[in-house]
Structure formats: C-alpha cells, structure tokens
C-alpha cells in the first residue's frame, strides 16, 4: 500500500475554482478584476491556487509571496519576486522595453539589476507604483496576466499600499486578474490587513472567497486519495474529529494513523510529527532553518549551518522528500508556515540567541547573499532577535537607509523607531552611527511625514525641539521647525505659519544656503491672507534670489510661482502666464519635475479664476499627462484633474467632466483631492436634480472637511452645496438657516473668487423666499456685495448677477441688469449660468410688458438647459412659461446628427479612423470602460452591429468630411 503526502484528488473546492475560472474568462474578455481568497492556515489556499494556475492555459501567471520575518514583513517582497522571475524569463532588457517611457530607475528600487534608483522623495514611491502598473499593462496587452500575491497577512505596509493601488487602478489594464491570498486566523482585531480588505471589498470589480473546512464526506474523499483506499469509519471518525476538516491536518493525521501510531496530543505535536521521523541531522538542520524565516536562500543556510555542500545536501534531501521543505528557486520554503513556527517556538533560549547571532554574522560577512534591501532588513531582524543591542541599533540604522533607497518609508520608519528604542542601551551610539539622538529624531519625523504618519511626525519633531536650545543650534532647529510646519499644514493644523516664521528667523542668513532657501520658499507659499501680501512678496523674492545664487532650480522655480500668485490678479492673466512660463523654463533647466507640475497646477488654476476656461482645461489636461510621465498620477495628476474638471463644468461639458472625475477617483487620490472631485460631481448632480446622488457625495465631502481646517477654496464651494441640497429637496427653511449661519460666522470678503459664487447663491435664495427670516438677511447680503471687490471677467459676471438679483428684490427695473449678466456669461461661454440669468431676464421683460423679449429669452434658456440635462431649471422654465402663456415646452434640437452627443461624435470620429478602445481612451483622456460604453451607445443609435458598420455609416453620411 502506498501513501501519498498530498491527495492526488482535489476535493471540496469546485465552487471556488469555478469563481476563479470565471474571473479569468472575464479578464480574457477585457474586464479586469481582483479575487481576495482567505482561509485559515492549512485550509488549502495554496492547493486551490495551484489547481487554478494549472488550468490558466494561455495566461501569463506571475506569483509572489509575502515573507514573514519575526512579526514584520519585507518591503515589496512579492513584487520583487515577480520582477525577478520576469527578468529570468525575458531578460533585463526585455523587461525594460515593457516599462512605459523606457526608464527602469523606479524598478531599481525593487531589483538592483535595473541600475541606480532615481531621486528619493515622496514622489519616488508614486513613480514606482506607476511603473509596476505600467509593466503589468504592457504584459496584459500581449496575453492575459494573472498576478498572484500569496500570504498577504504578512505584507508590510509598502506591499499593502502597492497592492491597494494596483487593485484600484487595474481597470486601466485590460486582461489583468489579481488574486490575493491571506490567512484569516492571523487577522486579529487590529491587524492592518483587516481595514484594507474591507475597503477593497467595496470596489465593484473585487470579489472575496473564503475557503471553509472540508465536510466529513469531502475529508473521506481526501483520505481515500492519500491512502489509495477508503479508511475505516472508525479511523475516519477519529481523524475528522481531530482535524475538524482542515485538509493539512487530515494529511498529517493520516500519516500518523498509517503507521499505527497514537494521535498527537497537541497541534504542535501534530505539526512536528513529520519532522520527528526524519534523521537527526535533518531535524537539526530544520531547527537552524526555522530561525531564517519561511523562505531561506541556499547560500545563507549553508553559511549558517557550517556544512559543506555534500553534507548540506545529505541533510536537506530527507526534508524535501518528506514534504517538510519545498525547493523554491535558489532556496527553500517550509511546506507550511505553521511547521516553521512550531520548530522555532521549540528552540531553547540559548539556541534562539545563538542561531540568530549566526545568521547575523553570516549576513555581516556577505550581505549580497540576499537582494537589497532584504539583506539589510533581515540583518537588523537577526541582531534584534539575538538581543544584541549594539548591533541591533547599528543594523537598524543601516536598514533604514536601505529602505529609504527602495522608497519603503514605512519600513524605514520602523527601523528608525527601533534605533530610538535601543538608544539608551548603547552608550556609544553616537560614534556607532555617526549622528546623535536629535538627528535620529529629525530623520524619523521626516520619514513619518513621508509615510503619512502625520500625527507621529508632529510629535517626533516636537519631542526633538523640546530637547535643545534653538538659539544655540539654529540650523537643527530650523530643519525641525520647517518639518513640523509642513506636516501641520498637510494636516490642516494651526501653528504651521508660526513654525515656518520661526524657522526663517533661525536659518542662518549670512551665506546663502539650501536650508534657508527651502524655509523661505515654504513660508512664502503658505502665506495666503490678504494682509500677508507684503511678507509673501519679500520672502518669495529672497528665496528666489537664494535659489539662483546656489544653483537650486527647484527653489528658484517654486519661489517664482509664489511671486506670480502674489503679483498678479485675475485681470492680469497674460502677465501671469508669462511668469509661469519663466518658472517652467527654470525648472526644466535641472529637471525639477515637482516645480514643473506645480506650474501646470498654478497656471490652470489662474486661468480658470480669470474665466479662460478653454485654456485652463488645455493646460490642466497637458499637466495630467505630464504628471503621469513623472509617476505622479495619483498625487499631482489627480490635483490637476480637479483643475481640468472645473473648467469643463463651467463650459457645460458636464459628461466629459464626470469622465475626468471618475478616472481620477479610480486612482484613489488623497482624501482632500477626493473631496474636491466629489464636490464638482455634486455640482452637476444638483444642477441635474440627482439629489440622492448629491446627498451621498455630500456625506463623503463632509467626512473629509470635518477632519481639519481648510481654506476658502474648499470651504466656500462646499457652503453653496450645503444650501443648494436642502433647497433642491424643497426644505427652504433649512436652506435659509445655512445662509444665515454663514453670513454670521464666515468672512466673505477675504477671497472674492470664492466669495462671489456664495453671495450669488444666497441672493438667488433670499430674493425668492417669502419669509421674514430671509428678508432680514438681505441688508447684510447687500452690504457685502457693495464692499466685495471684483477682479477679472469671471468675478464681474458674478457681480452683475448679484446686482440683478438684488434689483429684482427691490422692485427696481432689473431687465437691463439681467441683460448685462446674460451677456457676461455668454462671453465666458458658461451655459448654465447664462440660462439661469436668461430666466431672470424673461421674468423682468414680462414684468415690463415685453412678452416677445420674454419669450425669446425663455426659449434660449430652455435650449441651454435641455442640452445640459438641467432638469430643475427646465421645470422652472416650463412652469413660468405655462403661467405666463409664453413659449412652449418643446425641446430645442441640440444640433447633433443622429441623436449623438458631442462626446459620442468624438468617439465615432476615432472609430472611423480605425483606433482601438485603448487608443481612443488615451486620445480623449477617458477610461477604456467609458469608451466601451460610448461605442455601445453609438452602435445602438446608428442601428448597426459592428464598429466597421458604424464607420461606414459615418463615411456615407459625410459626418467628418470637413476634417
């Protein structure tokens, strides 16, 4: 009778295997998705994945596992493994050819074969993430790709962040299936993977599988496969009772039962039973291997074990044959992590210390045994586990530097935190690392900021600042104050200006220095209040001069951007643009990409504030593409998407704006950016009467704005929405209450660009309600309108609209005022604002007895509102028209052939030119999914079945003969 270590039959997982198979079928058809597969240790996740990949046919399967190291994982471990496998298969140059842009310096942070990594900084991680996604996209163009990340419960934060990014943004990479496995019994209440799984589980294209234990019938089938016969009912009762249906334990128990041995009395005995049957020299080697982690390289094990190749092979062979170890590339893995844990837990205290010391010494002798930064981090782990405080501190300091090079900021933070923990135990720590405790605190505060641990960064900087005399060490104090000021600003905490001003006082002013230039530039950038203008100008000019003197293009360009904002208003947009162009040239000189992207952000924002919507959209669109090239799509790119969507909303291109917003939200941007994008989507939802959607978006924005102190550019648009939502639902008193509270509590004179829309929104409400509460607010509102300045065409249009509303409430003759407002909005090409003013003009004309003028303006308003789909405004127009008995509710033609929308015509033009969905998406800056929806609509409206027939119809009708 033969006994198999693993059942040749795959039982009890038909449903899960089918779900994975269906996901792969969808991926082949272009619908990428993610499957999260969880289950307790030993329940069969690895076997399920093995069976699935064996049936993946033409798909390229990429597998990487998270590595457990004590209680910590290794940064980016599964992606490093995947990349190493691709290099083995395709060669370094082959992989490089697949990376967008051809530069692999980001991937060098994962694999040294790709050369020297690019510059450090907070954007380096974004570039790395974009390059990994870009590589997967290119691979998926050739054939479907299945990326499997195993043992995510051991994932470090860097791996979790990259994995989350890939899941959220994978829809841009058609034919990509992500499969993530994890151990559910490891997910204690505070485990960091728990919230990530919950968040990802809410994404439309993510599904979850949880592997249950086997039923008794399934366990019998598994046992029969192992034994090549069905076990007796008595044996099976005993085995099933002890294993409780866990497949791994069924296998181990069957091995013991087959030898007529007693059942183990504990799980540890069960796990170690297979080990104890091995030769003594093999058991000793396995104890040595257990201290090395779940996976151990052959060369490292050889060095630690102290055996020659023959002796090592002789000791390893029984462990591999007995299925305790498996061969994994150039190393070995324990068949199950629980086996390694049981072996490691059984080590005596002296053995534990001695083995970890031997690992540390072997790595000290040759750190290149392991790839960077894994070698440095494992070295730090072993010295720490060996309880050698001195070398634990030194190795943690070195590991922090290695983690920084890989943009693994969370691991760098963990290593620096360990240095701080061990500091008092190492008397000569300063000499050992070449820096004092305050320097470690400063670096830890900086890295905590980069890792998104803002509260901790502020606390660390504060702790460091409290430990020394700032006047005695001004450079150090200035560095820490600048760091705390930047973090406080990002966290919307008070005190950031005080920190930056004090840093500017302390930074040595004699000889121009990078520190002083950085401090002054940061300070000038964050001086926003009107009263701060002289200080902003003087500080920015000095920072720019320093940047020029020391040859730092980034400081010089950023300072010039600050000066541009300070010197020019919305009526001086051409001078503004010239100054931004100069800053761009300075930044290009040294490749200061942060400054380059900020130029696009600032110029597009300035153009929109001046009412130059088309130019603003063009600059922002180019900036989005530029940010993607620099690997900044999720940060600066999504900020620029706000600056792109805003002018599109102004121009009435609402569907196009929603596409931009959807695309940006798919990138999982920072929460303030997400709130701004959702706010613009809410503006469209309110104008279209989609109040349930608007309310959901409002809740999301409120949760972000409640967590900090934000500027008027965030708060005042939100204030308008807070009033318009209840008004749209007919809750007029609640809307009036919002206006009353804002007029009492808010400074509505500080930022005219954002205050004018608030005053106009309040005027439209308060001049139309017949309530004492509303009427009592009009004097205060009128006074604000008289005092608030108007700079540039856009603010002037708002002011004219405000005047028209106020004249209507004063029983004046407002027709001329409404006509002036209509003309201003028409000149700016803002159809929604123009339509609202046309309604006001029609009402004023009718009141003056001019029915013909009223009818003409009402017809134009109906045409504009109809094109926009502004249902509430259309209803207002129709009600007024019926009551006044002028015009009619017949919809105006939108001028588009065959009922196609403007966006559908653009897509049809590209289809006619023979472009694929992906090419169209890139050309029009929309998602592939959105293109697919447009193509389906086009085929339906044209009454054709294929893209070729659609193109033929377009040619036959001469839709694009004019080019």
């Amino acid at each position: 009778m033969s006994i198999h270590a693993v059942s040749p039959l795959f039982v009890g997982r038909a449903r899960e295997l089918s779900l994975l198979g269906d996901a792969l079928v969808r991926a082949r058809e272009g619908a990428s998705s993610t499957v999260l597969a969880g289950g307790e240790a030993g329940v069969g996740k690895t076997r399920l994945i093995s069976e699935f990949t064996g049936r993946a046919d033409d798909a390229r399967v990429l597998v990487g596992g998270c590595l457990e190291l004590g209680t910590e994982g290794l940064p980016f471990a599964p992606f490093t493994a995947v990349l190493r496998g691709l290099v083995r298969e395709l060669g370094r140059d082959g992989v490089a050819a697949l990376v967008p842009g051809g530069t692999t310096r980001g991937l060098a942070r994962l694999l040294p074969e790709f050369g020297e990594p690019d510059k450090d900084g907070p954007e380096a991680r974004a570039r790395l993430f974009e390059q990994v996604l870009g590589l997967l996209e290119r691979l998926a163009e050739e054939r479907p790709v299945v990326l499997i990340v195993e043992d995510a419960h051991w994932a470090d934060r860097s791996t979790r962040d990259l994995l989350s990014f890939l899941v959220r943004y994978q829809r841009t990479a058609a034919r990509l299936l992500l499969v993530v496995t994890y151990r559910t019994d490891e997910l204690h209440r505070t485990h960091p993977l728990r919230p990530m799984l919950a968040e990802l589980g809410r994404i439309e294209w993510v599904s979850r599988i949880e592997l249950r234990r086997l039923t008794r019938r399934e366990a019998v089938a598994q046992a029969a496969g192992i034994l090549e016969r069905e076990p007796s009912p008595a044996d099976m009762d005993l085995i099933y009772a002890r294993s409780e249906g866990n497949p791994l334990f069924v296998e181990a128990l069957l091995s013991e039962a087959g030898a007529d041995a007693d059942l183990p009395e504990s799980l540890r005995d069960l796990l170690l039973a297979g080990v104890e049957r091995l030769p003594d020299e093999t058991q000793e080697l396995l104890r040595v291997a257990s201290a090395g982690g779940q996976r151990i390289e052959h060369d490292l094990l050889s060095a630690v074990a102290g055996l020659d190749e023959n002796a090592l092979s002789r000791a390893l062979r029984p462990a591999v044959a007995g299925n305790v170890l498996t061969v994994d590339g150039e190393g070995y893995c324990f068949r199950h992590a629980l086996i390694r844990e049981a072996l490691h837990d059984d080590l005596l205290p002296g053995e534990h210390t001695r083995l970890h010391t031997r690992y540390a010494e072997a790595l000290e002798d040759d750190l290149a045994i392991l790839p960077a930064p894994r070698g440095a981090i494992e070295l730090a782990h072993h010295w720490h586990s060996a309880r050698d405080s001195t070398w634990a501190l030194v190795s943690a300091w070195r590991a922090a530097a290695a983690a920084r090079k890989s943009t693994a900021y969370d691991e760098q933070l963990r290593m620096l935190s360990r240095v701080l923990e061990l500091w008092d135990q190492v008397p000569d720590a300063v000499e050992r690392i070449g820096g004092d405790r305050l320097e470690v605190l400063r670096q830890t505060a900086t890295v905590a900021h980069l890792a998104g641990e803002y509260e901790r960064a502020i606390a660390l900087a504060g702790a460091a600042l409290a430990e020394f005399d700032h006047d005695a060490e001004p450079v150090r104090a200035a560095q820490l104050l600048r760091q705390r000021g930047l973090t406080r600003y990002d966290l919307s905490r008070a005190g950031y200006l005080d920190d930056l001003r004090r840093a500017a006082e302390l930074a040595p002013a004699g000889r121009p220095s990078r520190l002083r230039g950085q401090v002054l530039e940061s300070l000038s950038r964050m001086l926003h209040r009107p009263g701060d203008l002289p200080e902003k100008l003087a500080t920015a000019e000095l920072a720019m001069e320093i940047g020029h003197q020391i040859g730092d293009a980034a400081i010089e360009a950023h300072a010039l951007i600050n000066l541009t904002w300070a010197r020019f208003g919305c009526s001086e947009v051409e001078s503004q643009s010239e100054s931004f162009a100069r800053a761009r040239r300075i930044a290009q000189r040294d490749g200061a990409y942060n400054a380059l992207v900020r130029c696009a952000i600032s110029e597009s924002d300035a153009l929109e504030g001046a009412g130059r919507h088309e130019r603003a959209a063009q600059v922002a669109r180019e900036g989005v593409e530029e940010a993607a090239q620099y690997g900044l799509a999720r940060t600066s790119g999504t900020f620029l998407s706000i600056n792109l969507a805003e002018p599109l909303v102004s121009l009435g291109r609402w569907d196009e704006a929603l596409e931009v917003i959807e695309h940006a939200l798919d990138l999982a941007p920072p929460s303030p950016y997400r709130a701004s994008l959702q706010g613009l989507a809410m503006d469209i939802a309110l104008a279209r009467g989609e109040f349930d959607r608007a309310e959901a978006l409002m809740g999301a924005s409120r949760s972000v704005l409640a967590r900090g102190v934000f500027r008027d550019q965030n708060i005042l648009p939100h204030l308008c929405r807070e009033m318009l939502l209840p008004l749209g639902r007919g809750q007029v008193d609640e809307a009036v209450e919002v206006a009353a509270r804002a007029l009492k509590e808010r400074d509505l004179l500080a930022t005219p660009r954002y205050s004018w829309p608030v005053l106009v929104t309040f005027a439209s409400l308060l001049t139309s309600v017949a309530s004492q509460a509303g009427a009592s607010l009009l004097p205060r509102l009128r006074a604000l309108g008289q005092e608030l300045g108007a700079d540039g065409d856009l603010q002037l249009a708002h002011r004219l609209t405000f005047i028209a509303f106020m004249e209507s409430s004063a029983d004046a003759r407002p027709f001329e005022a409404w006509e002036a407002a209509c003309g201003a909005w028409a000149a700016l090409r803002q159809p929604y604002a123009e339509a609202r003013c046309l309604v006001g003009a029609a009402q004023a004309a009718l009141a003056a007895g001019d029915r013909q003028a009223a009818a003409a303006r009402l017809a134009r308003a109906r045409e504009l509102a109809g094109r926009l789909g502004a249902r509430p405004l259309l209803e207002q127009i129709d009600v007024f028209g019926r009551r006044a008995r002028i015009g009619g509710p017949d919809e105006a033609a939108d001028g588009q052939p065959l009922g196609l929308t403007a966006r559908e015509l653009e897509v049809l033009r590209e289809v006619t030119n023979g472009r694929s969905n992906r090419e169209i998406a890139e050309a029009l800056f929309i998602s592939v999914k959105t293109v697919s929806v447009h193509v389906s609509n086009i085929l339906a409206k044209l009454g054709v079945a294929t893209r070729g027939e659609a193109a033929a119809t377009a040619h036959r009708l001469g839709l694009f003969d004019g080019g």
Side-chain angles (χ1 to χ4, degrees), residues 389-629:
S389 299
T390 298
W391 287 109
L393 180 144
V394 172
S395 59
W397 178 255
R398 295 171 180 168
R404 167 73 183 219
K405 196 171 183 180
S406 297
T407 70
Y409 299 122
D410 302 291
E411 289 64 41
Q412 185 186 9
L413 177 59
R414 192 173 69 235
M415 292 293 104
L416 289 173
S417 299
R418 181 176 293 171
V419 173
L420 290 172
E421 291 168 8
L422 296 170
W423 191 267
D424 292 337
Q425 301 175 38
V426 183
D428 59 345
V430 174
E431 291 75 18
R432 292 281 185 176
I433 69 170
D436 60 13
R437 184 172 178 276
L438 287 174
E439 175 60 19
V440 180
L441 276 170
R442 185 192 69 78
Q443 289 198 30
T444 310
T446 300
V447 175
H449 187 197
L450 292 172
E453 299 284 350
Y454 291 167
E455 296 279 6
R456 191 174 177 191
I458 291 173
L460 286 162
L465 286 164
E467 291 193 12
F468 67 97
D469 183 345
H470 299 181
D471 293 323
E473 297 186 71
V475 170
R476 174 172 277 170
Q479 291 173 329
L480 284 161
L481 285 165
R482 175 176 179 263
Q483 180 58 57
R484 189 172 70 176
L486 292 171
T487 312
R488 280 176 164 172
Y489 181 79
D490 284 345
L491 201 56
S492 298
R493 291 287 173 82
Y496 64 88
L497 277 180
D498 294 335
D499 280 347
L500 290 170
R501 285 198 175 103
R502 179 60 177 151
E505 292 172 3
L506 290 168
R511 183 179 178 183
S513 67
R514 186 167 184 263
L515 172 63
R516 182 159 179 78
Q518 288 176 326
V519 169
L520 293 175
E521 188 281 312
S522 298
L523 174 58
S524 67
R525 190 191 305 193
M526 295 177 189
L527 291 168
H528 301 301
R529 294 175 300 188
D532 295 331
L533 183 59
E535 182 183 3
K536 185 180 184 78
L537 283 166
T539 307
E541 287 171 351
L542 185 53
M544 186 175 174
E545 182 182 345
I546 291 172
H548 182 72
Q549 287 177 338
I550 67 175
D552 194 312
I555 293 175
E556 186 179 359
H558 278 301
L560 179 54
I561 294 170
N562 301 344
L563 282 171
T564 304
W565 278 115
R567 286 172 173 165
F568 304 110
C570 293
S571 58
E572 302 167 290
V573 67
E574 297 303 329
S575 298
Q576 252 185 349
S577 292
E578 290 174 7
S579 189
F580 286 134
R582 181 186 167 201
R584 187 176 291 107
R585 289 193 296 272
I586 293 171
Q588 286 171 336
R589 188 177 68 211
D590 285 353
Y593 55 82
N594 269 319
L596 286 169
V597 173
R598 187 172 169 230
C599 281
I601 291 172
S602 297
E603 185 176 9
S604 58
D605 187 28
L607 288 166
E608 174 61 14
R612 309 294 178 87
H613 308 306
E614 289 284 2
R615 280 183 60 192
Q618 178 184 352
V619 171
R621 194 184 299 277
E622 292 170 355
V624 170
E625 296 171 357
E626 191 173 30
Q629 292 173 5

Side-chain angles (χ1 to χ4, degrees), residues 278-287 307 311 314-316 318:
L278 299 173
D280 289 345
E281 63 177 355
T282 301
Q283 293 187 45
E284 177 59 29
L285 183 62
L286 289 172
R287 279 193 288 273
L307 301 175
R314 188 168 57 249
L316 281 170

Side-chain angles (χ1 to χ4, degrees), residues 356-375:
H356 282 288
T357 300
R358 283 160 59 182
Y359 272 101
E361 290 171 346
L363 288 169
E364 289 280 9
D365 289 341
D366 184 8
L367 196 60
I369 289 178
L370 298 177
R374 179 182 164 193

Side-chain angles (χ1 to χ4, degrees), residues 889-913:
D890 296 333
E891 294 184 13
D894 63 7
Q896 303 292 5
L898 304 173
L900 298 173
T901 66
R903 176 58 99 186
E904 287 166 353
L905 276 173
E906 289 180 315
V907 173
L908 179 57
R909 180 191 293 272
E910 301 299 335
V911 169
T912 304
N913 291 334

